[in-house]
Amino acid sequence: MSRLIVISNRVAAAAGELSAARGGLAVAMSAALRESRGIWFGWSGKQTDSFNGHIDFNRSDGVTTATVELEEQDIDEYYNGYANRTLWPLFHYRVDIAEYERDFADGYQRANDRFARTVFPLIEPDDAVWVQDYHLIPLGNELRQLGVRNRIGFFLHIPWPPRRLLTTLPEAAALVRTMFAYDLVGFHTEEWLQSFCEYASEELGAELIGDRLRLDGAEVRVIAAPIGIDAKEFDVLAGSAAAKETTRWMRESANGREMIIGVDRLDYSKGLEQRFLGYERFLRDNPDERKRVFLLQIAPPSRAAVDSYQRIRASLDEISGRINGAHADLDWVPIRYVNRSYSREVLAGVYRAARIGLVTPLRDGMNLVAKEYVAAQDPEDPGVLILSRFAGAADQLKQALLINPFSAEELADAIRTALAMPLEERIARWRQMKANVDQEDVVWWRKRFVDALMAVEVRSRASRTPVPS
Ligand code: ADP
């Protein structure tokens, strides 16, 4: 069995921290790393005065992590800059707020180069390398330039933008060319995969042969592999005393009303403004029903160093305040808006207490909250999932009420439909979704990707040449 080297932007030092920080992904990776006696390499999240390539090794729960610290300029230009101000908005179709700065692009390249040089001595001839996400797109090519001939795979956890949007990025062609250094590139859905293939063939002249793209003698295989949650772990969480206590307590505090739940990192891609406005529309259009419900929106702040995140936070404070001011009564507040994190047990309990799960991102690579909501439901009395058709999860959770999150009317109609949905229909829809969540879980996803990576022919690897960057 080949040793697995996983490389991602962030790695928490201890396995305990890992599962708290990244949930299912950490759990799935940890199992694979433990079995193959592999290494998880990445940034510790800490800052150092000047980058020195010093690796901190940590072993916990049978998993070895190897972390480096980054200097301030890298954090500004690579992480807060190119990753979170340029690629994240662009890849979520927000070209209007994407910032194109050469300093960011240079910092991104520099940090990827530093990651590659630092991890390089850890890679042994039989290892398989698996690079994660948009922070590290050119990393595989950097490794090839250092002479790495191993199998290297890349998985993108966010959407891939349509070709016409991607062409607005000054470095797009160079960036996509570097991806031909990988043996395998994975996306959550066929839609993201097709957008990638379209860019590569139309803009770069790559040739698509089955599931392989060929360009200037290099060949990369592409697959769609939707990530799942750790369904077994989630069942245990949902059955925990803390989860049950939370459900009981939430029901009590609901005071006979139906709860609608939203749980999202505070991010403009999650469609929170549109969600609040759609909910307000429901309140206005349904005067008889409005006091039957309330919306609990849990949204912990993230990426506070980036302006657009400060703006969305201020805007949500304003909208929720206005809606509550306009509609609240002595005994009822329409939106409970909470900006903090909760333990996974408490979240599981909250999901279960909610009659409706509102997951309405404007664009989302997958969206694990949708799957967690399904996993947490009571089989005898499950709630209804209202899901954006622009989330990767909509491909698998087809029995949700699928909506266009840009339309306040569709959102309002879906809330009314969900509240009126008979028990038999709720159960029938939920059963099919639960079967999918259980079957296509995070372990299934990891195996699917790693098996495909291992199946890459050695001959095609040997002919791999780095692309000058
Ligand atoms: P993203 O990766 O864009 O944040 P996902 O829905 O795919 O979106 O994953 C979010 C993860 O973060 C889920 O596992 C969810 O349970 C967790 N999460 C979101 N909000 C909170 C919160 N307030 N407290 C704890 N965990 C949270």
Side-chain angles (χ1 to χ4, degrees):
M1 180 184 200
S2 284
R3 210 170 62 133
L4 192 61
I5 309 266
V6 175
I7 307 177
S8 62
N9 170 56
R10 278 296 304 275
V11 177
E17 249 182 276
L18 285 176
S19 41
R22 301 252 8 171
L25 179 65
V27 176
M29 290 300 183
S30 300
L33 290 166
R34 209 174 295 126
E35 284 164 28
S36 76
R37 305 208 322 285
I39 297 176
W40 193 340
F41 176 85
W43 176 33
S44 61
K46 293 189 190 131
Q47 186 179 320
T48 182
D49 288 343
S50 117
F51 182 78
N52 54 24
H54 172 78
I55 304 177
D56 251 328
F57 286 97
N58 221 294
R59 203 174 153 76
S60 154
D61 249 356
V63 177
T64 302
T65 58
T67 53
V68 288
E69 296 179 349
L70 291 179
E71 64 185 41
E72 192 179 1
Q73 197 183 352
D74 289 340
I75 298 173
D76 281 353
E77 294 174 353
Y78 148 77
Y79 179 67
N80 288 321
Y82 206 72
N84 286 337
R85 289 179 204 254
T86 308
L87 295 181
W88 176 275
L90 173 63
F91 280 43
H92 287 86
Y93 297 37
R94 290 299 304 273
V95 68
D96 57 318
I97 52 170
E99 296 174 47
Y100 297 157
E101 301 265 351
R102 288 201 180 127
D103 285 350
F104 292 172
D106 293 347
Y108 183 71
Q109 193 53 49
R110 183 178 64 244
N112 269 271
D113 181 57
R114 286 179 165 172
F115 273 117
R117 286 177 194 284
T118 314
V119 75
F120 174 66
L122 305 182
I123 302 173
E124 290 170 9
D126 279 338
D127 292 349
V129 180
W130 188 3
V131 179
Q132 307 287 325
D133 225 356
Y134 63 103
H135 312 87
L136 303 175
I137 294 172
L139 186 65
N141 192 49
E142 295 298 317
L143 291 172
R144 295 279 181 233
Q145 300 209 28
L146 294 169
V148 174
R149 286 276 178 104
N150 301 51
R151 292 186 165 88
I152 313 182
F154 174 81
F155 192 87
L156 185 72
H157 290 263
I158 63 176
W160 185 273
R163 168 188 165 205
R164 297 287 188 202
L165 287 186
L166 187 55
T167 52
T168 64
L169 179 72
E171 302 79 28
L175 196 65
V176 176
R177 274 182 179 279
T178 67
M179 295 174 78
F180 284 79
Y182 292 110
D183 295 295
L184 178 69
V185 170
F187 303 89
H188 285 311
T189 68
E190 284 293 332
E191 186 182 349
W192 319 142
L193 181 148
Q194 277 167 20
S195 298
F196 174 75
C197 292
E198 192 187 328
Y199 183 92
S201 46
E202 299 298 320
E203 299 293 328
L204 305 181
E207 197 187 348
L208 182 64
I209 310 150
D211 62 356
R212 290 174 163 77
L213 273 168
R214 198 175 284 166
L215 179 66
D216 300 337
E219 194 176 271
V220 59
R221 188 176 167 210
V222 287
I223 63 165
I227 198 169
I229 61 169
D230 186 336
K232 290 208 184 78
E233 182 228 8
F234 211 87
D235 284 347
V236 174
L237 286 178
S240 68
K244 287 185 177 149
E245 178 59 18
T246 303
T247 305
R248 196 189 56 73
W249 181 79
M250 285 304 306
R251 291 213 167 116
E252 219 171 87
S253 100
N255 210 4
R257 299 193 167 96
E258 302 286 12
M259 174 162 79
I260 304 173
I261 184 70
V263 175
D264 310 75
R265 224 170 15 79
L266 215 165
D267 191 295
Y268 47 80
S269 67
K270 302 293 182 185
L272 293 168
E273 289 161 303
Q274 289 79 357
R275 186 179 307 171
F276 284 177
L277 296 174
Y279 174 65
E280 184 183 33
R281 179 98 194 196
F282 166 81
L283 298 180
R284 267 199 280 131
D285 290 356
N286 299 277
D288 300 342
E289 297 208 49
R290 55 189 213 121
K291 279 199 177 186
R292 269 186 66 203
V293 300
F294 68 95
L295 168 63
L296 170 61
Q297 177 62 53
I298 301 178
S302 69
R303 303 176 192 169
V306 178
D307 290 349
S308 47
Y309 286 78
Q310 292 162 13
R311 283 200 298 276
I312 179 80
R313 183 161 191 190
S315 163
L316 290 169
D317 284 349
E318 199 266 325
I319 298 174
S320 60
R322 185 183 58 70
I323 295 175
N324 279 341
H327 298 273
D329 211 333
L330 293 176
D331 61 346
W332 176 68
V333 179
I335 305 180
R336 295 189 197 172
Y337 179 45
V338 185
N339 292 125
R340 50 162 288 191
S341 285
Y342 292 92
S343 71
R344 298 175 62 69
E345 285 87 349
V346 167
L347 274 190
V350 173
Y351 289 138
R352 194 177 178 112
R355 167 49 46 99
I356 298 175
L358 211 44
V359 183
T360 57
L362 306 180
R363 199 56 66 172
D364 211 331
M366 171 50 62
N367 197 294
L368 294 177
V369 166
K371 296 185 174 185
E372 291 171 359
Y373 177 76
V374 168
Q377 294 308 300
D378 176 354
E380 324 246 279
D381 187 18
V384 179
L385 176 64
I386 297 178
L387 178 61
S388 161
R389 42 177 94 253
F390 306 130
D395 263 16
Q396 294 164 293
L397 304 180
K398 296 194 170 74
Q399 297 75 24
L401 293 180
L402 294 176
I403 60 143
N404 171 357
F406 293 92
S407 161
E409 284 153 340
E410 274 195 33
L411 208 153
D413 288 352
I415 293 177
R416 206 178 35 238
T417 306
L419 287 172
M421 192 180 285
L423 178 64
E424 309 79 69
E425 184 178 348
R426 278 190 278 130
I427 292 179
R429 286 175 183 263
W430 173 79
R431 276 198 187 141
Q432 294 193 54
M433 292 194 283
K434 175 78 160 89
N436 180 278
V437 168
D438 284 346
Q439 200 187 332
E440 299 185 353
D441 70 352
V442 75
V443 177
W444 171 88
W445 166 79
R446 187 247 297 159
K447 283 205 180 111
R448 203 171 135 96
F449 189 90
V450 173
D451 288 351
L453 183 59
M454 293 310 172
V456 170
E457 287 166 37
V458 177
R459 210 163 56 86
S460 70
R461 282 188 291 132
S463 66
R464 179 75 70 244
T465 44
V467 186
S469 51

